[in-house]
Amino acid sequence: MTKLMHESAPIHDALIQYRNTRIVSFDVPGHKQGKGNTMLRDFLGDKCLSVDVNSMKPLDNLNHPTSVIKEAEELAADAFNCDRAFFMVGGTSSSVQGMIMSVCKEGDKIIMPRNVHRSAISAIILSGSIPVYVSPGISKNLGIPLGMSLKDVEKAINENPDAKAVFVNNPTYYGICSDLKSIIDLAHKNNMLVLVDEAHGTHFYFGENLPPAAMHLGADMSAVSVHKTGGSLTQSSLLLANTERVNPDYVRTIINLTQTTSGSYLLLSSLDIARKNLALNGREIFSRILELSEYARNEINSIGGYYAFSREIINGDSIYDFDRTKLSVHTLDIGLAGIEVYDMLRDDYSIQLEFGDLANFLAIISVGDTYFAIERLVSALAEIKRTHAKNKANMIDHEYISPVVKVSPKTAFYSKKKKVELKNSIGQISGESIMCYPPGIPILAPGEMITKESIDYILYSKEKGCLLTGVEDMNIEHINILDA
């Protein structure tokens, strides 16, 4: 498609036309363009609520698009340079689940790193597929999980030639990229599909001097969080597909098993507008983001004690490339966990980061940031170091625990369970997940043996102030185990 065609935004244009017709509404939603809920209208505004509408012929239908949504998806596929694009309104969690469930059925194997997002574990439970975990390895210096080593993927493929697909996180939350092209070539050679969780990689499709995008390398499907780095509303996402090995009509059928029949036109139009902006201005947008990120990285490193890492950590394998827009900062050398710095910045300086873990924090830099905002962050970090730095002895220095898988996640999730105290659960099989959120990577997943290391890690995370989720017990004092 030509650049001129990307000037259009079919869903946005149809909504404007709908608003201008001043239709009298006897359908849902019940607030009727805000007239029925003045508090909501005062909060969100007339313009927003006037286009919070239901599916109808002029506005198409997300579950069976034939007009403006279909046109918008075609424009998105062209902008991202792939064969098909599906608009998703359940976040990239739904995109990940759609990918896995369209490829794997009950008992099918899928090769994946264990440091996957909780949505991938959920898809495993829903589909009944069997994960073949590839350990991502750990950077001892940074305390973060790395990418997938090609030799580890090859070993998993050789030992599981009947696996249906290889699933890759690229980039990771921290900006680590695997040798995706070699993994794709290896998987295809062995008749396996490649599914990529590219939640943090929207910018790869439009920026320069960044790691290559999954669809451009020949991956079969990719889940992209346009809302994270592409400018759409929270919860809007794309599922991208190349169709040489994938039936897109079947993929949509699978998507419709779980996707709402009341797709939000606020989310859909935001995807449409974000695509237009990225197609027309993406190169300039991400060039500026790179400049801001590099400036922030250099300023933080000049403080001393903090380490904002970049391409110097590349090793050609498990760290094959690095996303320089990610401002990932290691904090242990000032004696503070990343989550502690995260909390101080929010509570004492009104600065909100993306997340903090036990050794690092992540700041998302976007086109909406300024040099002034970066300087405010740097100044706050310098003051935190000056007033709160301490000895780093006895601090946990890694972010990933190798699992001991005993039964499949689905079997464990639906098995008879009993609740026990965390401290008394060592040696048992977990019946639920537990994770710090964000980033939402399970410390334990259903079907895995509970070890002393995992319990120590959970208790330490709780002590440092991480938000632990996944278990039924909201106080994180008990865990459900399989009742043999």
Side-chain angles (χ1 to χ4, degrees):
M1 295 184 184
T2 65
K3 186 173 183 178
L4 183 62
M5 294 185 70
H6 283 290
E7 293 278 2
S8 68
I11 299 173
H12 165 266
D13 297 343
L15 287 170
I16 296 300
Q17 184 175 354
Y18 168 85
R19 178 196 287 163
N20 292 339
T21 58
R22 307 177 72 86
I23 286 177
V24 177
S25 171
F26 286 101
D27 62 350
V28 296
H31 62 71
K32 303 296 176 79
Q33 293 87 47
K35 293 187 290 290
N37 189 336
T38 55
M39 288 185 289
L40 186 64
R41 185 182 64 200
D42 291 343
F43 179 58
L44 295 179
D46 288 333
K47 285 188 175 181
C48 176
L49 292 186
S50 71
V51 292
D52 180 33
V53 294
N54 192 29
S55 295
M56 61 188 75
K57 187 172 285 187
L59 298 179
D60 209 353
N61 186 298
L62 180 60
N63 298 113
H64 190 85
T66 59
S67 59
V68 293
I69 295 176
K70 180 175 182 288
E71 292 172 27
E73 289 185 336
E74 288 171 351
L75 283 165
D78 182 74
F80 283 80
N81 194 20
C82 62
D83 295 334
R84 292 288 293 269
F86 300 94
F87 278 20
M88 308 291 289
V89 295
T92 302
S93 291
S94 64
S95 299
V96 167
Q97 290 162 3
M99 288 195 305
I100 292 175
M101 292 170 65
S102 66
V103 170
C104 295
K105 300 181 177 65
E106 183 89 32
D108 287 343
K109 294 179 183 176
I110 179 169
I111 296 167
M112 59 171 54
R114 174 55 180 77
N115 60 322
V116 290
H117 187 262
R118 62 187 297 176
S119 58
I121 301 295
S122 297
I124 294 295
I125 293 171
L126 291 170
S127 66
S129 51
I130 308 298
V132 177
Y133 291 129
V134 173
S135 174
I138 288 290
S139 166
K140 187 68 175 176
N141 294 331
L142 300 176
I144 61 173
L146 305 178
M148 295 175 80
S149 169
L150 184 61
K151 64 180 181 181
D152 291 341
V153 175
E154 185 172 24
K155 181 174 183 289
I157 287 175
N158 290 338
E159 292 176 353
N160 300 273
D162 54 340
K164 298 296 184 181
V166 178
F167 184 94
V168 188
N169 298 330
N170 202 80
T172 69
Y173 236 118
Y174 304 93
I176 305 297
C177 297
S178 301
D179 184 358
L180 190 54
K181 181 66 170 71
S182 296
I183 292 172
I184 291 169
D185 290 344
L186 179 64
H188 286 170
K189 182 180 176 181
N190 287 272
N191 299 313
M192 298 178 190
L193 300 181
V194 177
L195 316 178
V196 183
D197 182 346
E198 215 169 14
H200 289 267
T202 304
H203 48 297
F204 289 3
Y205 289 86
F206 302 96
E208 294 182 313
N209 302 312
L210 293 171
M215 290 288 98
H216 300 171
L217 295 177
D220 299 289
M221 283 188 278
S222 170
V224 179
S225 287
V226 182
H227 72 89
K228 286 187 170 68
T229 59
S232 64
L233 288 176
T234 296
Q235 200 174 307
S236 58
S237 174
L238 291 175
L239 197 169
L240 306 177
N242 286 322
T243 57
E244 181 180 350
R245 299 171 181 83
V246 169
N247 177 354
D249 297 323
Y250 180 70
V251 172
R252 188 179 294 283
T253 299
I254 295 298
I255 289 171
N256 286 343
L257 289 176
T258 55
Q259 176 128 284
T260 178
T261 56
S262 303
S264 166
Y265 278 88
L266 298 176
L267 298 182
L268 294 173
S269 60
S270 79
L271 283 169
D272 198 20
I273 295 167
R275 179 273 311 156
K276 174 180 175 178
N277 189 38
L278 291 170
L280 299 178
N281 307 307
R283 183 175 298 182
E284 294 78 14
I285 288 171
F286 295 117
S287 174
R288 174 168 170 76
I289 290 173
L290 266 178
E291 287 179 9
L292 286 168
S293 300
E294 292 291 9
Y295 174 75
R297 190 173 288 111
N298 291 335
E299 290 296 301
I300 290 171
N301 285 334
S302 71
I303 297 172
Y306 299 102
Y307 176 32
F309 47 92
S310 187
R311 288 179 57 85
E312 72 279 355
I313 68 173
I314 289 173
N315 62 19
D317 186 24
S318 56
I319 313 174
Y320 189 77
D321 208 342
F322 182 79
D323 174 13
R324 292 182 294 131
T325 70
K326 294 288 187 296
L327 185 58
S328 301
V329 181
H330 188 66
T331 63
L332 288 189
D333 286 341
I334 64 167
L336 295 173
I339 186 63
E340 291 176 309
V341 176
Y342 170 98
D343 285 340
M344 291 175 191
L345 285 169
R346 182 195 61 240
D347 297 342
D348 300 335
Y349 299 91
S350 298
I351 295 173
Q352 181 63 55
L353 299 175
E354 173 66 11
F355 82 92
D357 61 32
L358 297 186
N360 308 271
F361 68 75
L362 172 66
I364 296 292
I365 309 296
S366 81
V367 72
D369 288 308
T370 64
Y371 283 99
F372 175 77
I374 299 297
E375 288 161 4
R376 183 173 165 185
L377 171 62
V378 172
S379 176
L381 289 172
E383 188 168 319
I384 287 172
K385 178 193 172 186
R386 180 175 60 82
T387 57
H388 292 89
K390 55 189 177 182
N391 191 295
K392 68 174 184 177
N394 301 317
M395 300 190 74
I396 288 182
D397 63 354
H398 65 276
E399 190 68 20
Y400 169 78
I401 297 171
S402 296
V404 181
V405 180
K406 290 296 186 180
V407 299
S408 76
K410 180 179 180 179
T411 298
F413 187 82
Y414 290 110
S415 290
K416 183 181 177 183
K417 295 183 280 285
K418 64 180 180 181
K419 185 174 292 186
V420 299
E421 288 189 68
L422 267 175
K423 63 183 180 181
N424 296 327
S425 66
I426 295 172
Q428 302 296 324
I429 298 174
S430 177
E432 54 189 345
S433 293
I434 184 166
M435 68 207 73
C436 298
Y437 198 90
I441 298 167
I443 302 166
L444 282 169
E448 295 176 0
M449 178 179 286
I450 303 169
T451 63
K452 183 179 185 303
E453 184 184 22
S454 59
I455 294 300
D456 288 346
Y457 187 88
I458 290 165
L459 294 176
Y460 184 81
S461 299
K462 186 178 178 182
E463 174 192 332
K464 289 298 183 182
C466 293
L467 174 63
L468 289 161
T469 69
V471 291
E472 288 182 7
D473 179 9
M474 297 291 284
N475 295 318
I476 322 296
E477 294 173 348
H478 299 81
I479 189 169
N480 285 327
I481 61 171
L482 268 60
D483 189 4

